[in-house]
């Protein structure tokens, strides 16, 4: 990491405060030379105050004080060439420049202290965000996995979108969700759902029962912490998947969440699901959730996403053509696939998203048995609930 930072500074030298010092130093030299060669009635010395003023915007108090001293020295040289230092005009200019330089040093010290405080706050926030949204491993059982999070708010790494994965006795369970709202205000509900999933995923035998457990956890949270003016308006969509290690299928329960894409060589197909309403709207039991099953063969890739992806707009208001773009990279590895989508999505949205966006790419690498659902993309399963 240190080597990368040094390389970045070499590539962008003007980003270094020491390199930027060339600007006020050059400014002092130019003003001094021009003033000395100007007629006696032309006074450019007062402009020297610009040098410590601009230095305070990017350098610390020591460097700002150094530039202030150089400016004072330059003012003294100008005074020698224009009537001497004892003239009232030059004495006033020296005193004024000294006072303003001291003020610039003070402002630089305040800025530097606030920058350190902000850096510390950002460090703590990043640590908290990483603890909340654990990075998914590159491989889970027979699955290759990659994940991507794009936060809408500046300086945030997570917000209202969430994802998690856990190993069970016979396979892997995955959740991707989207809490109403975006950015930092939605982190509380996201943290609740993530914690509830990591615990409940090992306690419920079916996905409908797992969805019901998450519903009850969210309902208890809302009863305790939901503001009165937002009663009934806080909810979360979620997509729950169960991927067996040996059977080339995937079980899925959707709680109001966009369906995944199934990528096969040369095509991207939206998986047909039967979604229930989002979590937090008062479902009564596991029988209210549907379990869908679809074929997930070796070499296939599942692409899970939140609505921040498909609702991203370009400058003229057009939505991001997610399915068509994803179909271009069906042969790519999960990590490469998300790299392409990230670059393409940000280019479409002009470099900034209006909502948080999360994606998970999952590729099955092998299967122990032939598919039981070969030729059948999706079917609705109710007897397994």
């Amino acid at each position: 990491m240190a080597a990368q930072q040094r390389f970045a500074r070499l590539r962008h030298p003007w980003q270094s405060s020491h390199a930027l010092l060339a600007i006020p130093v050059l400014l002092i030299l130019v003003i001094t030379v021009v003033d000395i060669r100007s007629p006696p009635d032309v006074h450019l010395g007062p402009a020297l105050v610009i040098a410590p003023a601009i230095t305070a915007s990017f350098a610390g108090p020591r460097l700002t004080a150094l530039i202030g001293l150089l400016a004072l020295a330059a003012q003294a040289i100008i005074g020698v060439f224009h009537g001497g230092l004892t003239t009232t005009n030059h004495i006033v200019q020296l005193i004024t420049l000294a006072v303003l330089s001291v003020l610039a040093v003070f402002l630089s010290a305040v800025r530097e202290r606030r920058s350190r405080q902000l850096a510390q706050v950002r460090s703590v926030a990043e640590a908290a965000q990483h603890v909340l949204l654990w990075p998914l491993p590159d491989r889970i059982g027979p699955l290759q996995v990659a994940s991507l999070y794009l936060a809408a708010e500046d300086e945030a790494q997570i917000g209202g979108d969430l994802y998690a994965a856990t190993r069970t006795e016979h396979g892997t369970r995955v959740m991707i969700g989207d809490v109403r709202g975006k950015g930092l205000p939605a982190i509380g509900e996201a943290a609740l759902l993530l914690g509830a999933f990591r615990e409940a995923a090992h306690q419920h035998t079916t996905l409908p029962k797992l969805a019901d457990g998450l519903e009850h956890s969210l309902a208890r949270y809302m009863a305790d912490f939901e503001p009165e003016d937002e009663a009934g308006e806080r909810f979360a969509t979620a997509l729950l998947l169960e991927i067996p290690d040996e059977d080339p299928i995937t079980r899925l329960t959707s709680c109001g969440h966009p369906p995944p894409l199934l990528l096969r060589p040369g095509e991207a197909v939206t998986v047909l699901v039967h979604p229930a309403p989002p979590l937090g709207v008062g479902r009564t039991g596991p029988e209210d959730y549907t379990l869908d099953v679809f074929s997930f063969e070796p070499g296939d890739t599942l692409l899970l996403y939140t609505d921040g992806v498909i609702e991203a707009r370009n400058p003229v208001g057009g939505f991001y053509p997610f399915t068509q773009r994803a179909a271009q990279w069906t042969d790519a590895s999960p990590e490469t696939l998300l790299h392409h989508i990230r670059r393409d999505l940000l280019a479409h949205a002009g470099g900034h998203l209006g909502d948080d966006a999360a994606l998970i790419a999952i590729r099955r690498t092998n299967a122990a048995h032939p598919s039981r659902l070969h030729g059948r993309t999706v079917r609705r399963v109710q007897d397994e609930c």
Side-chain angles (χ1 to χ4, degrees):
M1 180 63 70
Q4 293 177 349
Q5 292 174 347
R6 288 194 297 269
F7 180 71
R9 286 195 295 267
L10 290 175
R11 291 183 59 189
H12 306 283
W14 292 104
Q15 293 180 0
S16 167
S17 60
H18 290 80
L20 287 172
L21 281 176
I23 297 177
V25 171
L26 181 62
L27 185 63
I28 291 173
L29 290 175
V30 171
I31 292 175
T32 303
V33 172
V34 173
D35 198 320
I36 291 175
R37 295 190 175 185
S38 298
D41 58 335
V42 176
H43 303 285
L44 299 179
L48 288 170
V49 72
I50 299 175
I54 64 175
T55 304
S57 66
F58 62 82
R62 292 184 179 180
L63 291 178
T64 303
L66 175 62
I67 295 299
L69 291 175
L70 289 177
L72 285 171
Q75 181 65 61
I77 294 173
I78 292 173
V80 171
F81 281 88
H82 286 290
L85 294 176
T86 57
T87 63
T88 303
N89 181 47
H90 289 302
I91 291 176
V92 171
Q93 289 185 16
L94 284 171
I95 294 175
T96 302
L97 181 57
V99 171
L100 293 177
S101 296
V102 170
L103 179 60
V105 171
F106 172 75
L107 294 176
S108 175
V110 172
R111 182 194 59 79
E112 189 175 64
R113 183 180 63 183
R114 291 185 176 179
S115 296
R116 288 196 300 266
Q117 293 174 342
L118 179 59
Q120 184 177 10
V121 170
R122 287 177 178 173
S123 177
V124 173
E126 289 178 4
Q129 290 171 356
H130 281 299
V131 169
L132 174 60
L133 194 65
W134 299 344
L136 299 182
D138 297 335
R139 192 172 187 90
I140 307 177
L143 309 174
Q144 290 180 339
V145 181
S147 57
L148 173 65
Y149 201 108
L150 298 173
E153 290 193 355
D154 295 334
E155 308 300 340
Q157 294 184 356
I158 64 172
D161 291 5
L162 55 105
Y163 53 73
T166 186
R167 289 286 291 164
T168 61
E169 183 178 357
H170 301 293
T172 303
R173 283 184 170 178
V174 181
M175 177 181 69
I176 187 168
D178 185 1
V179 173
R180 179 181 178 272
K182 64 180 180 179
L184 299 178
I187 287 182
E189 287 86 349
L192 167 77
L193 276 181
L194 286 169
F197 171 80
R198 288 165 182 154
E199 180 65 23
H202 301 276
Q203 299 178 349
H204 299 285
T205 56
T206 67
L207 294 183
K209 292 181 179 179
L210 173 58
D212 185 58
L214 296 178
E215 168 67 30
H216 282 82
S217 295
L218 191 60
R220 288 192 296 269
Y221 175 85
M222 296 303 180
D224 293 333
F225 300 106
E226 185 178 35
E228 293 183 1
D229 58 343
E230 296 185 11
E233 298 182 4
R234 307 293 286 271
F235 58 86
T237 67
L239 192 68
L240 305 174
L241 290 91
E242 184 175 75
I243 307 174
D245 287 345
E246 297 184 356
D247 292 334
I249 62 172
T250 290
R251 302 181 182 92
L252 181 152
T253 292
S254 173
C255 303
H257 198 83
L261 288 184
L262 181 62
L263 276 57
R264 287 171 172 156
E267 66 173 355
V269 180
T270 299
V271 175
L272 176 63
V273 299
H274 301 82
L279 300 172
V281 297
R283 305 297 289 177
T284 59
E287 65 277 359
D288 294 321
Y289 299 94
T290 299
L291 183 68
D292 292 299
V293 177
F294 60 94
S295 174
F296 186 33
E297 302 283 349
D300 293 348
T301 299
L302 268 178
L303 193 52
L304 318 179
Y305 56 95
T306 58
D307 59 9
V309 177
I310 56 177
E311 294 179 358
R313 294 176 180 265
N314 59 18
V316 297
F319 290 108
Y320 180 62
F322 182 51
T323 303
Q324 294 88 336
R325 299 295 175 84
Q328 303 176 27
W329 306 300
T330 56
D331 295 329
S333 67
E335 182 177 359
T336 303
L337 172 63
L338 294 190
H339 172 75
H340 288 315
I341 292 176
R342 178 185 185 277
R343 183 178 58 185
D344 191 56
L345 176 62
L346 291 177
H348 176 86
H352 181 77
L353 299 179
D355 194 6
D356 301 322
L359 298 104
I360 305 176
I362 305 172
R363 169 169 287 186
R364 183 185 284 278
T365 58
N366 65 349
H369 304 288
S371 174
R372 300 177 188 173
L373 303 174
H374 184 68
R376 300 172 61 187
T377 303
V378 178
R379 66 182 174 91
R380 185 175 182 178
V381 178
Q382 293 178 316
D383 55 355
E384 293 186 43
C385 299

